Amino acid sequence: MLKELLLWIGLPIIKRIMVGLGIGVITYTGSSLLIQQFINSITSSMTGVPAIMLQMASLFGVPDSIGILLGALSFQASLSAIKKFGFL
């Protein structure tokens, strides 16, 4: 009886975890490619910017904030994908 109860409770939880991991991996690989393209675009467009402006941007934390925003966008994409497929 305990085995049946654990299977009844555990299987849906395990299913959700596995689906979440699968969606997360797929979303991560897709968003990783897009983010890498975005970073390459930013670095190529910064070639004409004076060094002092780049140093000031780094001092003010612009690269960190861009990383946080891109991480939030990738999390939002994975969460919306999970909701779209009806697993959450």
Side-chain angles (χ1 to χ4, degrees), residues 3-4 8 10 13 17 28 32 34 40 43-45 74 80:
K3 179 182 174 183
E4 294 169 358
W8 183 70
I13 293 172
I17 290 172
Y28 174 75
S32 172
L34 288 175
N40 290 339
T43 54
S44 68
S45 67
S74 101
S80 65

Side-chain angles (χ1 to χ4, degrees), residues 52-65:
I52 189 70
M53 290 184 74
L54 292 175
Q55 290 173 353
M56 291 296 286
S58 179
L59 182 65
F60 292 137
V62 172
D64 296 331
S65 63

Side-chain angles (χ1 to χ4, degrees), residues 7 16 38 44 69 73:
L7 286 175
R16 284 183 182 229
F38 183 68
S44 68
L69 287 173
L73 286 174

